[in-house]
Amino acid sequence: MESAGIPTVVIAIEAYVGAIEKLGVARLLITPHAMGRTVGPAFHRERQREVVTEALALLTNATEPVIKTMGPLDD
Amino acid sequence: MSEPTTPDEMNEQGLTFAEFRTMFHYAEHADMQFKFLKHYDDAAGAAAIASIFKAVGETLDSGDVSALHRAVQRAQADASHIPRPEELPTAAEIPFAPVTKPLADINLELLSAGGVFVKGDDPMGPDGPTQENSLGLITEFLRGIPTLSVIPKDTPDTELTARHPGYDALTPQRDPATVFPLSTLRELAAEGVVGIADHHGSFTGATSFGRLKKEIAPEWAAQYSARDVDAVLLVAT
């Protein structure tokens, strides 16, 4: 999509970092969450919002390919 | 002697720890939360289970599930971690498109690999498989062509469901925002933080990566361009 001029940001859990890095994505936000809970645990609205907000910040602020890791769930 | 697959066969033949570890991986007790145990050796598998049991005790006493979540996540990540490639693509090799408008003015679409769709609008048709049945179709999914589910921006979470043979989609069935944060984006849009598109999408990420990258993604990118989408938030599962 980036090749087509569309900026992207990917949210992925730590377990899949190797596979995603291999693809070479422009902006990657890694979350320390369990499978099936990429954005945050079920009904944990505060964490889900924190992750989405961080992804949007990465989308707008990055000026070159970047990988960022979210802090632990209970921070 | 063939591997035992039913409890009776296991009782008759005796169950090794290796057999126990693998029974969660598309076998008798298939459980996408714990399928990772197959990828450990016996010692590491025992250590992972012990760490989860310890967290269960802590959670029972404290009522705080954080320790349990961390233990399961750590065990999944350590078992499932694909070794980081020795030679990663360099920054110059990775296509990069800058955002050229303020976040509040962009037309952002959400695209999730979580297999989310609107109830009653199953991308596999009205007789599409249940989550449980999809586990037996993992090979077909991995060989198939992903179908994009179109989800209107005002769809409430209660109207969404999910199916995915690669992880436990019961979680997004309970709370779609775990892999499809449309409600979170709506909230941020209402506050004027970000502009979001009228429609969003999801597909089942258990598919051919090669075909997805070479054939499908360029098609979807062309569709995004035609809809004047300014940016895409992708969620991997």
Side-chain angles (χ1 to χ4, degrees):
Chain A
M1 288 192 198
E2 300 277 340
S3 300
I6 301 172
T8 62
V9 57
V10 179
I11 307 173
I13 57 171
E14 184 185 352
Y16 298 143
V17 169
I20 304 279
E21 279 186 326
K22 201 172 169 183
L23 290 173
V25 299
R27 304 166 189 82
L28 173 60
L29 180 64
I30 301 166
T31 57
H33 298 159
M35 289 178 179
R37 302 157 180 92
T38 309
V39 183
F43 305 109
H44 197 322
R45 298 291 174 238
E46 186 182 344
R47 179 63 168 185
Q48 293 168 359
R49 183 178 166 115
E50 181 186 14
V51 168
V52 171
T53 301
E54 191 61 47
L56 294 176
L58 213 55
L59 181 67
T60 49
N61 296 337
T63 55
E64 60 182 0
V66 62
I67 297 173
K68 180 168 184 177
T69 301
M70 290 288 297
L73 185 57
D74 55 349
D75 264 12
Chain B
M1 188 177 288
S2 62
E3 276 193 16
T5 56
T6 67
D8 283 347
E9 287 175 355
M10 290 171 185
N11 287 335
E12 194 176 311
Q13 296 180 23
L15 179 67
T16 68
F17 185 60
E19 289 165 347
F20 171 79
R21 287 190 294 103
T22 55
M23 70 190 343
F24 301 101
H25 190 276
Y26 300 102
E28 173 72 19
H29 292 293
D31 187 324
M32 298 298 98
Q33 309 278 348
F34 298 104
K35 66 176 182 179
F36 65 86
L37 286 167
K38 178 185 178 181
H39 302 300
Y40 278 125
D41 60 24
D42 283 356
I49 291 171
S51 70
I52 292 169
F53 282 178
K54 185 178 178 185
V56 169
E58 190 178 332
T59 297
L60 287 172
D61 292 339
S62 69
D64 178 1
V65 297
S66 299
L68 184 55
H69 192 106
R70 278 197 303 275
V72 172
Q73 185 272 334
R74 188 71 263 144
Q76 289 177 343
D78 288 346
S80 308
H81 218 303
I82 297 169
R84 297 180 104 146
E86 287 183 9
E87 289 188 15
L88 292 172
T90 64
E93 293 170 326
I94 299 173
F96 185 90
V99 173
T100 56
K101 296 178 184 174
L103 196 55
D105 296 334
I106 68 171
N107 190 32
L108 179 94
E109 274 203 27
L110 169 64
L111 178 60
S112 169
V116 176
F117 54 94
V118 178
K119 290 175 183 172
D121 190 21
D122 188 332
M124 296 181 73
D127 298 321
T130 62
Q131 170 61 18
E132 186 179 2
N133 290 340
S134 76
L135 303 187
L137 300 170
I138 180 66
T139 304
E140 286 77 1
F141 273 92
L142 290 173
R143 289 176 181 161
I145 297 173
T147 305
L148 194 61
S149 295
V150 177
I151 300 168
K153 78 170 178 183
D154 292 326
T155 308
D157 281 353
T158 51
E159 290 300 312
L160 295 172
T161 188
R163 174 189 52 235
H164 196 297
Y167 76 96
D168 190 351
L170 294 179
T171 298
Q173 285 180 13
R174 297 177 186 118
D175 178 11
T178 51
V179 297
F180 189 74
L182 180 58
S183 55
T184 308
L185 284 171
R186 265 201 310 267
E187 188 179 290
L188 291 167
E191 295 169 15
V193 174
V194 63
I196 62 172
D198 289 337
H199 295 86
H200 301 268
S202 184
F203 65 101
T204 304
T207 188
S208 163
F209 268 8
R211 183 178 285 178
L212 181 64
K213 188 175 181 181
K214 291 177 185 171
E215 298 175 25
I216 308 300
E219 282 179 25
W220 289 352
Q223 293 170 15
Y224 283 126
S225 294
R227 292 199 297 271
D228 292 325
V229 171
D230 295 313
V232 180
L233 171 62
L234 296 137
V235 180
T237 57

